[in-house]
Amino acid sequence: MRRRSSLPVIFLVPTLAILLVLSMVPTLYAIVIALQNRELSAPGYSWVWFSNFADLFLDRRFLNAVWVSVKWEIVTVVATMAVAIGLGVLMFEVASPRLRNVYCLLFIIPVLLPRVSAAFVWKFAYHPLYGIATYPYRLITGGLIFDPLSKASTALFAVASVDVWQWGLFFAVIVLKLLETLPPQPIEAARLDHAKRWQIHAYVTLPMLKAPLISLMFVKMIESLRSFDLIYVMTRGGPGVATETLDMYAFSQGFIESGKVSYASAMAVLMMVATVITFTMLWKRVQA
């Protein structure tokens, strides 16, 4: 009995130890570098402690990157959940079981594409002269050119649409499967009470799926933080700094423009702390 009870520990401890090392060693090293003034062009360094963090709050470009990251997070998460719930409910109500399987297969394809490949495809689709996404605008306006990736007011939303296209359709499949697992009795009772379709889902099915929908939202919030590849391929943070998120600015400062590795590490550490605090507060709020 003692050997049997210790077997899970034997298998779990080495794996957890490896994961702990792989996660903590880079994190601690990033914190150490953030307290120094390392640069790629200079071999020497000294300890500056928290001066890098103080300089960040005086950096207007850093503050702009924070604001862009917040906008990106809100737009992608809200739009993805809206598309997922809307399409999931629509397929549940309209499509037959066989047709649902076809839709699910089609909706899973975008998320299977590598982000870089999807970014290149949609970058060409947004081309002002040859893009299929800008063709309706040219057709309506009689040939006027519209380049959403080159305008500061539309670039972020154009890139966000690609992210929503990938994850919104995939989450719609998950929402559909969640609706199919619900017991039919509450839905049938609501229909007997002459409830409309939108009322059934607003007051019966979706409240029953509150926990998994919140989990999906948190998954998308975490995924939206890892948007470097998509934004870099489509706009490289432009036009100007209109789509430059925190991770892009940190990469630019650390390896492209000035080689300030410690300054970039300070941004990464600050982003990690803010993310952990924000997610913990949100999780406690929704659990209350």
Side-chain angles (χ1 to χ4, degrees):
M1 290 295 293
R2 184 172 299 175
R3 179 181 298 178
R4 186 183 230 176
S5 63
S6 63
L7 191 60
V9 177
I10 295 175
F11 282 105
L12 286 175
V13 168
T15 305
L16 294 176
I18 293 173
L19 292 176
L20 185 64
V21 170
L22 292 177
S23 61
M24 292 304 298
V25 170
T27 301
L28 294 175
Y29 189 59
I31 295 174
V32 170
I33 293 178
L35 301 176
Q36 301 170 350
N37 61 349
R38 289 179 181 266
E39 294 186 9
L40 293 179
S41 59
Y45 67 91
S46 60
W47 292 88
V48 295
W49 302 108
F50 296 100
S51 63
N52 286 323
F53 296 95
D55 292 340
L56 286 176
F57 293 98
L58 300 176
D59 187 350
R60 295 179 61 183
R61 191 171 168 186
F62 168 76
L63 298 177
N64 174 78
V66 172
W67 174 235
V68 171
S69 298
V70 172
K71 286 195 297 184
W72 171 266
E73 194 79 10
I74 294 174
V75 170
T76 54
V77 173
V78 172
T80 297
M81 295 305 298
V83 169
I85 293 174
L87 286 179
V89 170
L90 185 63
M91 288 189 293
F92 182 77
E93 286 291 339
V94 176
S96 62
R98 181 174 296 181
L99 196 57
R100 290 177 190 173
N101 294 331
V102 176
Y103 286 143
C104 289
L105 180 62
L106 294 176
F107 288 174
I108 288 176
I109 292 176
V111 80
L112 297 178
L113 293 175
R115 291 289 288 262
V116 174
S117 301
F120 274 114
V121 170
W122 278 94
K123 186 176 182 179
F124 184 76
Y126 280 127
H127 193 279
L129 295 177
Y130 314 110
I132 191 173
T134 57
Y135 176 75
Y137 181 85
R138 298 195 305 271
L139 186 65
I140 294 173
T141 59
L144 291 179
I145 295 177
F146 174 62
D147 188 1
L149 295 179
S150 67
K151 294 182 178 296
S153 59
T154 58
L156 184 70
F157 299 99
V159 180
S161 65
V162 182
D163 185 79
V164 175
W165 169 72
Q166 282 195 299
W167 290 98
L169 298 182
F170 176 61
F171 281 8
V173 176
I174 299 177
V175 172
L176 172 63
K177 296 307 175 182
L178 289 172
L179 290 171
E180 290 177 347
T181 61
L182 291 177
Q185 291 83 4
I187 301 176
E188 293 175 359
R191 286 173 178 164
L192 289 175
D193 289 336
H194 303 288
K196 298 179 181 179
R197 289 184 177 182
W198 69 268
Q199 292 175 326
I200 293 175
H201 293 288
Y203 299 109
V204 179
T205 59
L206 295 181
M208 294 173 68
L209 297 176
K210 179 181 177 182
L213 289 178
I214 290 175
S215 299
L216 278 179
M217 183 184 68
F218 272 94
V219 169
K220 185 64 189 78
M221 291 172 66
I222 296 172
E223 193 280 329
S224 290
L225 294 174
R226 304 184 301 108
S227 57
F228 175 86
D229 47 0
L230 182 63
I231 300 176
Y232 185 81
V233 171
M234 294 191 69
T235 64
R236 297 201 174 189
V241 291
T243 60
E244 187 178 63
T245 54
L246 271 174
D247 49 355
M248 289 203 64
Y249 183 42
F251 176 76
S252 177
Q253 287 293 301
F255 301 101
I256 302 298
E257 295 182 10
S258 55
K260 296 180 179 179
V261 182
S262 293
Y263 197 62
S265 296
M267 275 186 264
V269 171
L270 200 63
M271 184 178 177
M272 178 190 67
V273 173
T275 301
V276 170
I277 293 175
T278 303
F279 275 65
T280 302
M281 293 176 61
L282 287 175
W283 182 256
K284 289 184 177 181
R285 180 79 179 226
V286 298
Q287 290 292 101

